[in-house]
Amino acid sequence: MRDHYKQAGVDVEAGYQAVDRMKDHVKRTHRREVMGGLGSFGGMFDFSMLSYKEPVLISGTDGVGTKLKLAFEMNRHDTIGVDAVAMCVNDIVAQGAEPLFFQDYIACGKNEPERIEAIVKGIADGCEHSGCALIGGETAEMPGMYKEEEYDLAGFVVGVAEKEQLITGKEVNTGDVLIGLSSSGIHSNGFSLVRKWIEEYGLDLQAQYKGLDQTFDQSLGDVLLTPTKLYAKAIQEVQQHVTIKAISHITGGGFEENIPRMFGDAFGAQVEQGSWPVPSIFTFLSDIVGMEKQDMMSIFNMGIGMVLAVAPEEVDATITAVQHAGEEAYTIGTVIEGQGVTYR
């Protein structure tokens, strides 16, 4: 019977091999609350082992988007899983959650065990960095739905926070300070536009370009595939020292769409341009296509992956805590009356 299934394009044995290859990666994300093992029908997590008094579960789900197309073209699959974890984890961290466990969904045209292992390695890297367990997932071989070399990748995360410590934005006031945490580059947003520019302006993913900061002889494709930063540890470090009033994860729509989500229609934000270093990938692209910086900021993160609102007297402690967690932070603006985002 398996031969008939294989003739239809589904290789069950390759699926078993892929699961076997990913076991060690899953194992290193283990938390003591995880029950059962890989291969069960459902992932189990013993919530009773946590010490929260009034726990609130916070969940998030997301994918990597068309950044996957670059992974296909570069034939590099070992970091794209970090992006999948980061896009989910950073969203729930913005509400004060401790990430607990993650599940992935990989749909592919052909199950290549080595490629699946590389993807899961990246997922495990992201989970390990965030402190959450990879407790399960699904790899679906779907010939005819995807080309043999293509796949889609999405994830789902569950976290927890004390009810009284949820970050809701309700305590924000005018005069509060906006602290920006540095991004690693474009992260996982805006790649449909980036790919359009690559085609229109004849850019070569395999080439190195002047004006683009490169380490270890990175090509343009290598720079673009730099994985999204994970902010769970940095936010947890800050929470030990100060009260974070609001957080915004800067994703698609850049500053103008995401910063107002911190405090709804009650306030606005004034952003000080030039108050943080902009990664060279953004200036490289804007110079090539002739797009103004402010227009870029309405699409991309421009070097700031997460924004925190804190009281003025807690700015120094916030920046110190972020740096202690191994990240960089900058004072980038203030909360003002009105709505939306203005620049000066």
Side-chain angles (χ1 to χ4, degrees):
M1 292 298 293
R2 288 180 180 175
D3 288 339
H4 292 291
Y5 209 5
K6 191 171 184 178
Q7 290 170 12
V10 179
D11 190 340
V12 176
E13 296 299 330
Y16 293 153
Q17 185 181 347
V19 171
D20 190 60
R21 296 177 72 108
M22 67 178 70
K23 285 181 179 179
D24 286 342
H25 299 298
V26 173
K27 185 178 180 180
R28 60 189 167 90
T29 72
H30 186 79
R31 290 177 53 132
R32 66 190 184 96
E33 300 93 348
V34 175
M35 301 174 63
L38 195 65
S40 301
F41 286 98
M44 295 185 291
F45 190 93
D46 187 354
F47 197 70
S48 68
M49 295 182 70
L50 300 175
S51 58
Y52 287 80
K53 297 177 181 178
E54 292 185 289
V56 175
L57 293 179
I58 304 172
S59 64
T61 185
D62 208 340
V64 180
T66 58
K67 189 173 184 176
L68 286 170
K69 286 283 191 178
L70 296 183
F72 303 158
E73 292 182 51
M74 295 291 292
N75 195 26
R76 275 193 53 195
H77 311 284
D78 60 331
T79 63
I80 204 73
V82 178
D83 292 290
V85 176
M87 297 309 295
C88 297
V89 165
N90 289 342
D91 276 351
I92 68 167
V93 164
Q95 292 175 271
E98 172 197 354
L100 297 178
F101 59 85
F102 186 87
Q103 291 190 309
D104 64 75
Y105 176 76
I106 305 169
C108 57
K110 183 178 181 181
N111 189 332
E112 295 282 359
E114 290 185 2
R115 183 169 59 203
I116 298 300
E117 181 189 6
I119 297 168
V120 174
K121 173 195 174 297
I123 295 171
D125 289 343
C127 288
E128 190 174 29
H129 190 281
S130 302
C132 63
L134 177 57
I135 65 170
E138 170 68 11
T139 302
E141 190 172 21
M142 302 167 65
M145 182 69 73
Y146 300 93
K147 295 179 181 178
E148 285 193 358
E149 70 277 8
E150 293 184 347
Y151 57 87
D152 199 3
L153 174 61
F156 174 83
V157 68
V158 171
V160 63
E162 286 285 9
K163 189 174 183 179
E164 64 177 16
Q165 294 177 356
L166 288 170
I167 299 174
T168 63
K170 292 181 179 179
E171 304 301 320
V172 170
N173 291 304
T174 56
D176 285 337
V177 179
L178 301 177
I179 305 296
L181 277 60
S182 65
S183 75
S184 57
I186 296 178
H187 283 185
S188 297
N189 301 104
F191 274 93
S192 293
L193 180 57
V194 171
R195 288 173 47 250
K196 180 174 180 288
W197 288 342
I198 289 171
E199 182 177 351
E200 284 187 357
Y201 293 90
L203 300 176
D204 183 354
L205 292 175
Q206 304 292 342
Q208 298 178 41
Y209 288 92
K210 184 178 180 180
L212 186 61
D213 288 342
Q214 296 147 336
T215 57
F216 306 112
D217 298 322
Q218 286 185 310
S219 67
L220 173 61
D222 293 329
V223 174
L224 291 172
L225 282 176
T226 301
T228 306
K229 274 195 178 182
L230 293 134
Y231 297 106
K233 289 184 178 179
I235 298 304
Q236 288 167 0
E237 181 71 25
V238 174
Q239 286 178 301
Q240 294 181 32
H241 302 279
V242 306
T243 298
I244 304 174
K245 295 188 176 185
I247 299 180
S248 175
H249 178 202
I250 309 300
T251 58
F255 282 51
E256 294 173 20
E257 181 175 320
N258 291 290
I259 290 180
R261 295 170 65 182
M262 300 170 71
F263 29 70
D265 297 331
F267 300 100
Q270 185 172 76
V271 173
E272 301 287 339
Q273 297 191 70
S275 58
W276 71 91
V278 176
S280 63
I281 183 62
F282 295 109
T283 53
F284 171 79
L285 290 172
S286 64
D287 287 347
I288 286 177
V289 305
M291 180 176 283
E292 296 293 329
K293 183 178 180 181
Q294 190 163 320
D295 291 331
M296 292 282 289
M297 292 177 73
S298 68
I299 301 170
F300 302 105
N301 67 63
M302 296 302 287
I304 298 295
M306 186 162 275
V307 177
L308 283 56
V310 300
E313 63 271 19
E314 295 194 311
V315 169
D316 289 344
T318 300
I319 292 177
T320 298
V322 172
Q323 292 173 338
H324 189 263
E327 301 294 342
E328 294 298 327
Y330 309 91
T331 301
I332 67 167
T334 55
V335 178
I336 61 173
E337 294 182 356
Q339 297 179 2
V341 178
T342 60
Y343 304 95
R344 75 172 188 179

